[in-house]
Amino acid sequence: MIYRFEDIADDLPLLPMAARRALDRAGRKLSLRGWQSLPLERRQVVVAEGAKPIVEVTAVVEAIAGAEPAAEAMTPDDETRLAVPPPGLADRIGERWAELTPLARFAIAHAVKRGDAARLERTLVELIPDVAEKRLTHLDDEGQARMVDVGQKAITRRMARAGARVRMARETAQLLVAGQAKKGDVLAVARVAGIMAAKATPSLVPLCHGIALHRVEVTFDVDVEAGVVGVSAVAEANDRTGVEMEAMVAASLAALTIYDMLKAVQRDIAIEEVVLEEKSGGRSGHYRRGATP
């Protein structure tokens, strides 16, 4: 059992978490040179034992016999410390800790002990992905803003649909539909503004990535009697990160452009909400606003 975050080859040149746990439970300390002196078959036995819920100490001791230099005796780890999450992780992990295997708990505790925040996050992403995603990824471990590294994420088809609602007087809505606004075709200009805004999102939202959008569509639904213009913006791309912000920026700027085109007629036009209606693609999967989780 070797985790991806360990980056250890199949010929086991280094000690995986499973081997470290097996040795700790057996009360043995083995140097890297001693580990590498063992035949691969014996190293595999140690790893297999460390992945089990209950480590067979005798099997581990027999497997490392003959290592050069020999293993040193130490106090066996009874793993009582793993009954609860490590300090600082209790709020993030909560009840999920009890669902983890002994090896997974050992790996997380080891990452915490090392004090390597990046290693800890990689460990959590592999072992408890839903917990890892709850972290505010735009903040580093010191609370400073950062641009998230998405270089290792898979390229998938991403789609997002956002909406906005612009409320105005019925008379203003009638003017809009009739095409009698002094500045021209309100919805045509707002549509272009939304598309341009989507493409400019990384310049407007500081920590957004540049995305090669292959589709941006902005449409409108005008209810003259209610005095409401519904704005819908869809963004699509094949990329490593989502296009939610592109869709929401498009809907926002389209709504703002409607206000700008009509403000000479009515100053108190209100943009009531900008929301993400739907998104798909990526590890978090499909989301639809209002749908049952």
Side-chain angles (χ1 to χ4, degrees):
M1 175 64 190
I2 306 173
Y3 294 121
R4 291 192 303 274
F5 65 80
E6 298 185 90
D7 295 323
I8 297 177
D10 292 339
D11 59 351
L12 303 176
L14 303 175
L15 284 82
M17 286 293 109
R20 294 178 184 276
R21 175 175 178 256
L23 291 167
D24 283 2
R25 294 288 290 126
R28 297 294 188 275
K29 182 177 181 181
L30 187 64
S31 68
L32 178 59
R33 190 154 60 93
W35 172 257
Q36 293 174 343
S37 73
L38 295 171
L40 177 59
E41 294 77 12
R42 292 197 181 187
R43 282 179 272 167
Q44 291 172 332
V45 169
V46 177
V47 172
E49 285 297 330
K52 294 178 180 178
I54 299 177
V55 176
E56 181 59 52
V57 172
T58 301
V60 175
V61 173
E62 291 177 352
I64 64 175
E68 291 291 341
E72 300 176 12
M74 55 179 279
T75 302
D77 181 6
D78 61 9
E79 295 191 335
T80 54
R81 61 192 170 82
L82 301 180
V84 296
L89 285 182
D91 289 342
R92 286 183 68 184
I93 297 179
E95 296 179 355
R96 294 299 307 280
W97 185 254
E99 302 171 7
L100 298 175
T101 66
L103 176 57
R105 296 183 198 176
F106 179 88
I108 294 171
H110 187 269
V112 172
K113 183 178 179 180
R114 284 181 54 171
D116 186 337
R119 174 63 174 260
L120 173 60
E121 290 306 317
R122 290 198 299 272
T123 302
L124 292 176
V125 164
E126 183 168 348
L127 300 181
I128 327 177
D130 56 323
V131 168
E133 287 172 357
K134 293 179 182 178
R135 186 173 185 265
L136 296 177
T137 54
H138 280 117
L139 298 179
D140 64 18
D141 297 296
E142 297 179 352
Q144 303 299 313
R146 67 169 185 172
M147 190 172 187
V148 178
D149 182 1
V150 298
Q152 302 304 314
K153 296 176 70 175
I155 295 177
T156 61
R157 187 176 184 84
R158 313 278 184 150
M159 183 282 296
R161 177 170 55 86
R165 186 168 62 232
V166 186
R167 186 174 295 277
M168 62 192 69
R170 183 177 61 180
E171 293 75 17
T172 305
Q174 290 174 334
L175 189 69
L176 180 154
V177 171
Q180 296 177 353
K182 291 183 179 180
K183 289 187 176 182
D185 189 332
V186 175
L187 299 184
V189 176
R191 179 177 292 107
V192 174
I195 294 171
M196 292 178 64
K199 296 190 291 183
T201 298
S203 299
L204 300 171
V205 183
L207 301 180
C208 278
H209 295 80
I211 293 179
L213 295 167
H214 60 69
R215 176 190 175 213
V216 178
E217 182 176 302
V218 180
T219 57
F220 306 97
D221 180 17
V222 183
D223 185 334
V224 175
E225 289 302 312
V228 173
V229 179
V231 181
S232 179
V234 176
E236 291 188 5
N238 292 318
D239 217 306
R240 290 183 168 86
T241 189
V243 289
E244 294 96 318
M245 295 309 301
E246 283 72 13
M248 295 183 75
V249 168
S252 300
L253 264 293
L256 285 170
T257 300
I258 291 172
Y259 180 91
D260 178 61
M261 297 285 284
L262 296 172
K263 66 180 186 292
V265 177
Q266 183 183 345
R267 294 286 181 181
D268 63 350
I269 293 173
I271 299 173
E272 295 185 335
E273 64 176 4
V274 178
V275 297
L276 178 66
E277 298 286 1
E278 184 181 8
K279 62 84 63 177
S280 62
R283 188 168 56 198
S284 61
H286 188 252
Y287 162 84
R288 187 186 297 275
R289 181 178 174 83
T292 301

